[in-house]
Amino acid sequence: MATLLHIDSSVFPGGASASRAVTETFRKIWEEQHPEGAVIYRDLSADPVPHITVHAHTAGFADPDTHTPEQATAFAERLEHIEELERADAVLIGAPMYNYTIPSTLKAWLDNVILFGRTSGENPSAKGTPVTVVASRGGSYAPGTPKEPYEYVQNYLTATLSGMLALDLDFIVPELTMAPHIPAMAELVPLFEASRDRAFQDAAVKAKALAERLAA
């Protein structure tokens, strides 16, 4: 049966997080389709991945037989995350927008799993693995909106997940999530509700379709 690697990075728990609510819907449908499958879960807010260090970085370009004790320890943890990615048949990532970009914890995970000559480069080891990113945001950064130039989440993740890791990337984008909480955005609440409902629907449809595709 298929294995799903599920990563959440929101600092908010449960239903207080738009991205977690949508990834939970996706995962629920996935598990219904794969009751005997496996889910590898990483909550990067509760259990952060260490930011890349000089020992973890340099170890990636050195023969393991030459690693110092510090390099060996740092690289062993890095390998754990790389092997989880390589083992996954599909990846699900909750990526809320914080200050126009992704949470630093998600950036740390990417810095650990992007390894030239293995997961990136000429023949990336997880090439073609489908990855669904729930890119929630408090406002709207869609094409044609005033904040479009500040959209650094989808642009960055397209460059890393698709460009460097060669994953098969798809986005679900719940937007205007701050509308119910900021009086100045009150008139945007209907648009937020439509975006939220569409995100839940997309998560259910995409999870089922992906499960069926991998089972075929």
Side-chain angles (χ1 to χ4, degrees):
M1 298 297 289
T3 296
L4 175 68
L5 173 59
H6 174 189
I7 297 169
D8 277 324
S9 60
S10 172
V11 298
F12 296 101
S17 163
S19 64
R20 287 181 187 270
V22 177
T23 60
E24 182 181 8
T25 296
F26 186 106
R27 176 173 169 175
K28 179 181 177 181
I29 299 299
W30 172 275
E31 290 178 324
E32 289 174 356
Q33 299 295 314
H34 291 286
E36 297 178 1
V39 175
I40 303 169
Y41 182 59
R42 288 277 179 182
D43 185 336
L44 300 182
S45 178
D47 187 17
V49 173
H51 286 280
I52 200 78
T53 65
V54 63
H55 301 301
H57 177 74
T58 56
F61 297 95
D63 185 328
D65 291 338
T66 68
H67 285 177
T68 66
E70 294 82 5
Q71 285 178 315
T73 298
F75 196 62
E77 182 161 5
R78 193 175 176 189
L79 276 178
E80 180 180 354
H81 300 290
I82 289 172
E83 290 170 354
E84 285 179 351
L85 174 63
E86 293 172 336
R87 191 160 70 248
D89 297 290
V91 182
L92 172 65
I93 300 175
M97 177 185 281
Y98 293 159
N99 301 316
Y100 300 133
T101 189
I102 62 173
S104 64
T105 51
L106 182 54
K107 176 64 163 58
W109 179 82
L110 285 164
D111 287 341
N112 276 275
V113 300
I114 296 172
L115 178 58
F116 187 79
R118 181 162 176 170
T119 59
S120 71
E122 186 174 345
N123 188 29
S125 55
K127 182 178 180 178
T129 301
V131 54
T132 303
V133 176
V134 178
S136 60
R137 60 275 315 275
S140 179
Y141 300 80
T145 63
K147 290 291 186 72
E148 179 185 359
Y150 299 95
E151 207 304 293
Y152 300 116
V153 171
Q154 288 177 266
N155 291 339
Y156 173 72
L157 292 177
T158 297
T160 52
L161 297 174
S162 179
M164 299 183 75
L165 296 174
L167 305 182
D168 181 8
L169 176 61
D170 192 17
F171 284 104
I172 298 173
V173 186
E175 62 179 9
L176 299 168
T177 62
M178 292 303 296
H181 310 290
I182 298 179
M185 296 178 68
E187 64 180 15
L188 299 175
V189 168
L191 292 177
F192 151 71
E193 292 173 342
S195 176
R196 177 198 58 196
D197 294 347
R198 186 166 56 250
F200 284 127
Q201 182 179 12
D202 284 350
V205 170
K206 291 175 185 291
K208 184 176 181 180
L210 183 57
E212 290 175 348
R213 169 181 148 194
L214 293 175

